[in-house]
Amino acid sequence: MSSATLESILDRHARQGVRLMQILRETQEALGWLPPEALGEIARATGLTRAAVESTANFYSFFHTRPLGHYRVLWSDNITDRMLGNQALMQALCKALWLQPGRVSEDGLVSVDTTSCTGMCDQGPAVLVNYRTVTNMNLDRVQAMAALIRARVPVAEWPEEWFQIADNIRRAGLLLDCPLAPGAALAAGLARGGAGLLDEIRTAGLRGRGGAGFSTAQKWQSCRDARSPAADGARYVVCNADEGEPGTFKDRVLLTRCPDLVFEGMTLAGLAVGARRGFLYLRGEYRYLLDALEAVLARRRAAGLLGASIAGSNFAFDIEIHLGAGAYVCGEESALIESLEGKPGKPRIRPPFPVTSGYLNCPTTVNNVETLASACLIAAHGGAWFARSGTKVSTGSKILSVSGDCAHPGIYEYPFGVSVQQVLEDCGAQRTLAVQVSGPSGVLLAPDEFERRIAFEDVPSAGAFMVFDETRDMFEVARNFAHFFAHESCGFCTPCRVGTAINARFMDKIAAGHGSRDDLEQIFRMHRLMQATSHCGLGQTAANPIFDTLRKFRPSYDRRIESLHFEPAFDLDAALSRARRMTGRDDPAAHLTNEHQP
Amino acid sequence: MSEPSHFKLDGEDIPCRPGQTVMQAAQAAGRYIPHLCWHPDFAPHGSCKICVVKADGRTVAACTFEARPGMQVENRTPEMDDHRRRLLNMLFVEGNHFCPSCEKSGNCTLQATAYELGMANFHFDHFFPDRPVDASHPDVMLDFNRCIQCELCVRASRDVDGKQIFALAGRGIRSHLIVNSASGRLADSNFAVSDRAASVCPVGVILKKRVGFAIPIGSRRYDAAPISAEAQPSPPPAQGERP
């Protein structure tokens, strides 16, 4: 890369260390990777230490400090992608390109690997090619893709239909059904004023849609009341669009269909808490949305709905989009703020909570995309109107991202209180064995629980609804989730850093037919330990899927367990696998045993 | 100063002041709460979780949790010590800890804490990570095999030495300590053996050269008495002073 390119990137971000994530991303987009000289140059220009720059560059999955090929193909590896056959397709692509997964080709042309759920569960198997999303992969597309890569055709010239992403809205409700003219809610909000708006949010009973269900009015009030250490009394609004929970894709659709609702919700939040700046933290997997969203922001600025004097008032507010780079943990609000500041996404010690000490230690409210969109509706129609939908303690609507074994995967918006059974009927699910609500960190429901309701008082949900029918093996579902958490643990605290890795090993050991009763007992103990001692929600919930499947689908484990007592993890036959690979042998005589698979 | 308030630590009254953490209050009263990443001279970090206690029924890290008057805190209960043993197991198996041949043996906080808690085996399978050693610096060597990611060196170099020589990089189980230099080697940084960071490592990562085994194993810090015996009551710091 010419140093002029890097200079212009650095200039565009005013050489600010807090903009490190965007500087790294744009540098990598220009260069294909982050070479040591570029990291050194960025450190010098921003005044950060080189170690600090490396620390951030090494933390995020989508930054690479070594070349990974002109073409980088990442297969979304959520369980729903697996159920749609992504593993065989990835193998086929690797075979066509003479590659091993995770390795760069000898000529430096291409690498193929897996990545955590990319939020395309209703149209998988999905891949990211140089961080552009391709959906509906099949064998034809794999062969065509291999040919395009071998012919070195730039990704920009690949068939356009590969990059098409469907919204798949199957059922619309309050949010998806409610067209509001841009500025309408804002005018109503400005007429009420910040305190009046807060009253409406309180009347509405709005609770956070990210899963925890914290009262939005209380969060905004705390942020409004907190003392800012900044000379100008700065406060911040952050929209959490780091939709990383596997199986969740409703924020993607909200940002595609109703970006004005979301941005206007952020602006109203700014009015309520007294902030002048907002950030949309968009997950790296949704890079393709960036240009369209920037265009919406530009349009809103031109219309006087953002900027120095909004709708002719003395209220000023503007929004910046911050793109993530592949780290699930950044969905945790304090980790997200660290990431906004250009650092690795490691959750902070709480208290203090972000509402008192968030971005740059100023009061910051972090709200989910759906929460802010709902706030916008409340500003326009009033809190009482909103509270008429849903249940008494879970007001309004909930958007579910339905995927897995059903006829019509996609987006379903219901008033809170809908039963799991109702959703299953509407999406055309048959002979359902289990539903994973709210993703791996949520809860797994068995058929005797399908009468339960999606609501904060019963089954809370951040939006994921993954359906598994009777042909599925729930052990493999849990094993996929165990590897997901091991990959996404930030590594800050001992129980999560090591515990998630040990859990993944336990599950692999059981899968290889070497599990014992003792291992199952260890898993229960690990669940209790991680739940009690982990630093944040990731570690506290990471063992949930294993725990739930062990409790509710025990036979899927038992049939893999041969030994009643202890079995060592060391597998002599597996230890020979490297020798087999080197000699190209896989015949029975090259194995110590051939009775591995259950 | 008004009469100090108290909370209960394993049934004993411990004085506490506003803003003091459970760990600080316990330390000032000469009570031992097992810990690794906490150090009285540095801001609490809360990553090792060895200091977990149960405060009014909730499991929290004593080093970051504020002591509140009247609170009931369980510290050396079978449940908490059981958590601690498992966490110690994890720290041992994720790195390469060969105590019998380690220069730090007898002076090592990890080893001493494991003895204190009666950790008799590793419990989990070892990870045996591949971690190179950095012996480039003339006065100090870095043996990353023993790193427990407590970030005490990171804090000491940043907050005391003003150099920011160490940082953690990577994520999850691949998280690791790095050195602030273009080559990544300690010799190419401005690290000095007189830095506070050179003598803060609780395990055997940062080792001074040419003094190894000067004190024989058997006569070292934790050979004479267990780590818990080191906790002694201290006079409370004057008001306004940073504890």
Side-chain angles (χ1 to χ4, degrees):
Chain A
M1 174 171 64
S2 70
S3 60
T5 315
L6 183 53
E7 286 299 308
S8 77
I9 291 170
L10 287 164
D11 285 342
R12 187 155 58 245
H13 296 289
R15 299 171 185 258
Q16 289 179 340
V18 289
R19 318 250 343 146
L20 180 61
M21 291 277 292
Q22 307 312 308
I23 293 170
L24 290 174
R25 177 179 60 81
E26 290 176 23
T27 304
Q28 181 169 287
E29 280 184 9
L31 243 190
W33 65 299
L34 296 166
E37 314 80 64
L39 295 181
E41 191 49 50
I42 291 168
R44 270 190 295 280
T46 54
L48 293 167
T49 64
R50 187 194 171 87
V53 175
E54 278 180 35
S55 189
T56 295
N58 277 313
F59 183 83
Y60 296 91
S61 294
F62 291 178
F63 291 150
H64 6 104
T65 50
R66 61 193 175 95
L68 290 175
H70 294 296
Y71 297 90
R72 176 135 177 87
V73 184
L74 291 172
W75 288 82
S76 176
D77 202 23
N78 185 25
I79 187 67
T80 53
D81 294 290
R82 289 210 172 183
M83 284 152 57
L84 293 164
N86 74 333
Q87 286 175 301
L89 292 171
M90 179 166 108
Q91 272 173 16
L93 182 66
C94 286
K95 202 174 164 200
L97 292 166
W98 287 84
L99 264 183
Q100 269 184 27
R103 304 278 287 270
V104 186
S105 62
E106 295 290 327
D107 57 0
L109 179 67
V110 55
S111 63
V112 176
D113 210 336
T114 58
T115 187
S116 298
C117 180
T118 59
M120 300 291 155
C121 321
D122 56 337
Q123 46 204 303
V127 296
L128 294 172
V129 183
N130 295 352
Y131 304 104
R132 286 193 62 187
T133 303
V134 178
T135 57
N136 295 305
M137 286 300 291
N138 54 38
L139 215 48
D140 289 343
R141 283 192 178 183
V142 162
Q143 299 304 343
M145 188 178 281
L148 288 168
I149 289 172
R150 277 197 305 263
R152 295 174 185 254
V153 177
V155 177
E157 293 167 28
W158 288 14
E160 218 168 282
E161 68 269 20
W162 288 10
F163 301 101
Q164 271 166 16
I165 292 155
D167 291 341
N168 291 334
I169 297 175
R170 313 287 185 186
R171 191 180 195 283
L174 281 190
L175 286 166
L176 295 167
D177 231 2
C178 188
L180 265 183
L186 199 48
L190 283 166
R192 284 199 178 94
L197 176 62
L198 256 174
D199 285 341
E200 289 301 323
I201 301 289
R202 197 171 291 115
T203 306
L206 181 62
R207 298 172 68 171
R209 267 44 175 165
F214 193 78
S215 155
T216 305
Q218 202 178 324
K219 195 180 239 188
W220 287 7
Q221 187 76 54
S222 306
C223 184
R224 182 186 170 93
D225 295 343
R227 207 188 60 80
S228 169
D232 62 352
R235 270 155 234 284
Y236 297 94
V237 172
V238 178
C239 174
N240 183 348
D242 190 50
E243 186 174 48
E245 190 71 45
T248 318
F249 46 90
K250 46 114 188 155
D251 293 342
R252 154 169 73 76
V253 176
L254 270 172
L255 288 168
T256 309
R257 276 296 178 94
C258 337
D260 277 295
L261 212 55
V262 179
F263 289 141
E264 199 150 320
M266 289 176 71
T267 313
L268 287 159
L271 180 69
V273 305
R276 295 164 62 93
R277 269 179 85 189
F279 294 97
L280 176 79
Y281 189 103
L282 184 67
R283 71 185 303 224
E285 287 81 351
Y286 296 166
R287 165 73 182 82
Y288 75 95
L289 284 172
L290 182 62
D291 297 341
L293 290 172
E294 291 284 11
V296 174
L297 288 179
R299 171 167 57 69
R300 291 184 68 87
R301 279 184 205 111
L305 300 174
L306 282 175
S309 163
I310 290 178
S313 70
N314 58 3
F315 170 54
F317 190 78
D318 212 331
I319 295 171
E320 266 174 59
I321 300 176
H322 174 108
L323 205 67
Y328 165 73
V329 69
C330 290
E332 196 282 336
E333 61 177 9
S334 66
L336 185 150
I337 288 169
E338 287 284 298
S339 182
L340 271 181
E341 292 181 359
K343 293 181 259 180
K346 297 187 184 183
R348 293 177 178 174
I349 295 169
R350 288 142 295 145
F353 292 96
V355 281
T356 53
S357 181
Y359 182 67
L360 305 178
N361 299 322
C362 294
T364 304
T365 176
V366 182
N367 296 104
N368 182 268
V369 172
E370 195 180 345
T371 312
L372 290 162
S374 301
C376 188
L377 288 189
I378 293 164
H381 301 292
W385 170 85
F386 187 83
R388 280 200 290 275
S389 296
T391 73
K392 199 161 183 217
V393 291
S394 308
T395 54
S397 69
K398 183 75 201 104
I399 304 181
L400 299 177
S401 321
V402 178
S403 63
D405 295 312
C406 61
H408 313 291
I411 292 293
Y412 292 74
E413 184 180 8
Y414 292 97
F416 265 112
V418 65
S419 72
V420 170
Q421 185 61 44
Q422 182 66 52
V423 182
L424 287 171
E425 282 167 22
D426 292 350
C427 71
Q430 289 186 344
R431 290 184 296 282
T432 303
L433 177 68
V435 181
Q436 183 80 37
V437 179
S438 205
S441 72
V443 59
L444 181 72
L445 300 179
D448 61 342
E449 300 166 288
F450 289 171
E451 286 310 317
R452 293 183 66 182
R453 292 171 186 282
I454 305 291
F456 295 112
E457 64 271 32
D458 192 354
V459 185
S461 174
F465 193 99
M466 291 185 273
V467 184
F468 306 99
D469 73 17
E470 287 167 353
T471 66
R472 303 299 175 184
D473 180 348
M474 295 314 292
F475 169 82
E476 282 300 336
V477 174
R479 187 157 82 103
N480 175 265
F481 293 160
H483 280 276
F484 164 76
F485 284 118
H487 183 256
E488 296 297 343
S489 168
C490 81
F492 175 77
C493 72
T494 312
C496 179
R497 179 179 69 242
V498 191
T500 53
I502 287 174
N503 279 343
R505 288 168 169 231
F506 268 138
M507 296 300 274
D508 287 349
K509 183 186 174 193
I510 294 169
H514 294 296
S516 67
R517 301 260 165 243
D518 181 63
D519 291 325
L520 302 187
E521 181 51 37
Q522 294 306 328
I523 288 173
F524 277 120
R525 293 185 59 172
M526 183 69 91
H527 175 60
R528 283 196 294 275
L529 176 71
M530 291 174 70
Q531 209 172 32
T533 65
S534 292
H535 185 65
C536 80
L538 193 158
Q540 286 157 11
T541 59
N544 281 3
I546 310 179
F547 179 75
D548 277 356
T549 44
L550 255 175
R551 251 177 357 124
K552 298 177 185 178
F553 298 95
R554 182 64 181 249
S556 67
Y557 287 77
D558 283 342
R559 67 188 184 82
R560 291 178 159 85
I561 307 274
E562 286 163 27
S563 161
L564 288 177
H565 305 293
F566 173 76
E567 273 277 331
F570 181 72
D571 179 353
L572 194 53
D573 186 63
L576 290 173
S577 67
R578 194 154 165 230
R580 278 195 292 269
R581 218 166 39 242
M582 286 167 73
T583 53
R585 281 182 61 181
D586 202 23
D587 54 291
H591 289 269
L592 289 174
T593 159
N594 52 11
E595 45 192 17
H596 269 272
Q597 298 310 316
Chain B
M1 202 166 114
S2 60
E3 264 314 284
S5 325
H6 290 81
F7 69 96
K8 295 266 191 205
L9 184 71
D10 288 340
E12 268 186 284
D13 275 331
I14 305 289
C16 63
R17 290 175 288 110
Q20 218 175 13
T21 62
V22 170
M23 179 69 87
Q24 286 170 326
Q27 184 85 359
R31 297 294 178 280
Y32 174 69
I33 299 176
H35 59 269
L36 290 173
C37 73
W38 183 77
H39 189 291
D41 295 351
F42 301 100
H45 191 57
S47 72
C48 76
K49 304 295 179 194
I50 297 295
C51 73
V52 286
V53 293
K54 203 175 245 187
D56 287 340
R58 211 176 121 212
T59 307
V60 296
C63 71
T64 57
F65 197 75
E66 191 177 332
R68 285 193 301 258
M71 195 164 70
Q72 300 278 342
V73 178
E74 298 170 27
N75 173 28
R76 299 303 302 272
T77 58
E79 186 190 2
M80 290 301 112
D81 277 357
D82 199 44
H83 282 337
R84 292 178 180 130
R85 265 189 300 276
R86 279 290 171 274
L87 293 168
L88 284 166
N89 288 146
M90 290 179 173
L91 289 170
F92 272 97
V93 301
E94 75 162 331
N96 297 309
H97 297 273
F98 306 112
C99 296
S101 64
C102 179
E103 206 289 311
K104 196 78 172 194
S105 188
N107 290 325
C108 171
T109 315
L110 179 67
Q111 184 193 40
T113 309
Y115 276 127
E116 172 71 33
L117 288 157
M119 189 192 105
N121 58 41
F122 295 112
H123 192 77
F124 302 113
D125 296 303
H126 281 85
F127 284 51
F128 295 126
D130 190 7
R131 297 184 187 169
V133 169
D134 178 357
S136 62
H137 195 278
D139 300 322
V140 167
M141 81 165 250
L142 299 177
D143 188 339
F144 297 108
N145 287 293
R146 299 150 185 171
C147 184
I148 56 168
Q149 313 205 10
C150 66
E151 295 193 53
L152 274 169
C153 59
V154 176
R155 286 177 273 168
S157 184
R158 182 190 63 208
D159 303 340
V160 179
D161 305 327
K163 292 185 177 179
Q164 305 186 60
I165 283 169
F166 298 104
L168 285 186
R171 191 168 85 195
I173 200 68
R174 285 187 302 279
S175 174
H176 61 282
L177 193 65
I178 59 167
V179 170
N180 184 40
S181 68
S183 64
R185 299 186 329 152
L186 192 64
D188 298 327
S189 74
N190 58 343
F191 183 82
V193 70
S194 54
D195 285 357
R196 183 71 202 276
S199 51
V200 78
C201 182
V203 292
V205 178
I206 303 175
L207 293 173
K208 292 176 186 170
K209 290 183 176 177
R210 296 177 293 279
V211 294
F213 297 99
I215 299 169
I217 288 175
S219 316
R220 295 179 167 195
R221 186 172 174 182
Y222 302 117
D223 291 330
I227 190 168
S228 56
E230 289 194 344
Q232 294 296 330
S234 57
Q239 202 133 35
E241 190 183 319
R242 195 168 161 272

